[in-house]
């Protein structure tokens, strides 16, 4: 099972990814966590990433792809994975698609049928704003949250179309109690994997 979790800030994708990863005994791969782990472990890729981060720059797509690929080739990812936080743009998704089809996502170089599913947790903006405000983080005011959501929508709408056109998109209504969302994800993803 190879899943990408997409959704706006506050949609619950991290929570759902962790629950399903534990249930299916596959790793939940968060690009932020991978970057931090590579930096701490002082891997070659981690040191390259650190140099960009130290300058306050974004880690380039190619380097991020190398880091994701390295993580996906670890033994615990051979049975599958849930990727959270990547890809964020259509160019990243297209590159990732090529990578998966060529290397197989589990370390095999035989090529495979790219059994990737992109899960989009859909939640209305007013619900997201209320959820994020209830977290009570200092930098979360309504104006900041709405700006983050606008940026997310601008970057991600094309990504949703990218996966819809490839018939890899699974749209889930995330505006329900957590248990119902988890149950629908289990049923939908287990039923057609």
């Amino acid at each position: 099972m190879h899943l990408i979790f997409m959704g706006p800030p506050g949609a619950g994708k991290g929570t759902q990814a962790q629950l399903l990863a534990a249930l299916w005994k596959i790793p939940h791969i968060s690009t932020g966590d991978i970057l931090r782990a590579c930096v701490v472990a002082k891997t070659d890729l981690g040191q390259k990433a650190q140099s960009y981060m130290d300058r306050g720059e974004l880690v380039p797509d190619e380097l991020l792809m190398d880091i994701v690929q390295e993580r996906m080739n670890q033994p615990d990812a051979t049975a599958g994975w849930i990727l959270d936080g990547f890809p964020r743009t259509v160019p990243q998704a297209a590159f990732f698609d090529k990578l998966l089809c060529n290397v197989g996502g589990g370390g095999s170089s035989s090529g495979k049928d790219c059994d990737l599913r992109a899960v989009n947790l859909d939640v209305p903006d007013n619900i997201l704003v209320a959820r994020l405000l209830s977290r009570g983080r200092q930098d979360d005011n309504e104006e900041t949250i709405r700006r983050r959501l606008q940026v997310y929508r601008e970057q991600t709408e094309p990504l949703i179309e990218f996966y819809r056109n490839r018939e890899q998109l699974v749209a889930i209504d995330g505006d329900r109690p957590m248990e119902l969302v988890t149950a629908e994800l289990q049923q939908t993803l287990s039923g057609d994997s």
Side-chain angles (χ1 to χ4, degrees), residues 144-162:
T144 308
I145 290 168
R146 289 200 181 274
R147 190 163 46 249
R148 281 171 52 204
L149 292 174
Q150 181 184 352
V151 168
Y152 172 82
R153 300 261 183 237
E154 288 167 2
Q155 288 182 347
T156 310
E157 289 300 323
L159 200 53
I160 291 169
E161 283 306 307
F162 176 89

Side-chain angles (χ1 to χ4, degrees), residues 31-32 34-35 59-69 85-86 92:
T31 48
I34 297 172
L35 272 175
V59 176
D61 283 0
E62 298 78 21
L63 182 54
L64 200 51
M65 281 303 313
D66 287 345
I67 289 170
V68 169
Q69 182 179 0
F86 188 87
Q92 286 180 356

Side-chain angles (χ1 to χ4, degrees), residues 7-13 123 127-129 131-132 135 148-149 174:
K13 61 188 176 296
V123 181
I127 302 293
L128 294 167
V129 170
R131 282 184 187 178
L132 292 168
R135 289 182 183 176
R148 281 171 52 204
L149 292 174

Side-chain angles (χ1 to χ4, degrees), residues 1-3 21 24-29 68-82 100 103-110 112-113 115:
M1 189 163 302
H2 303 105
L3 303 171
W24 292 328
K25 296 180 177 38
I26 58 176
H28 167 218
I29 300 174
V68 169
Q69 182 179 0
E70 184 179 86
R71 174 62 186 91
M72 288 167 37
N73 284 332
Q74 290 175 10
D76 68 335
T78 54
W81 37 258
I82 299 175
L100 277 181
V103 299
S108 96
S109 56
S110 60
K112 59 189 290 182
D113 58 351
D115 60 342

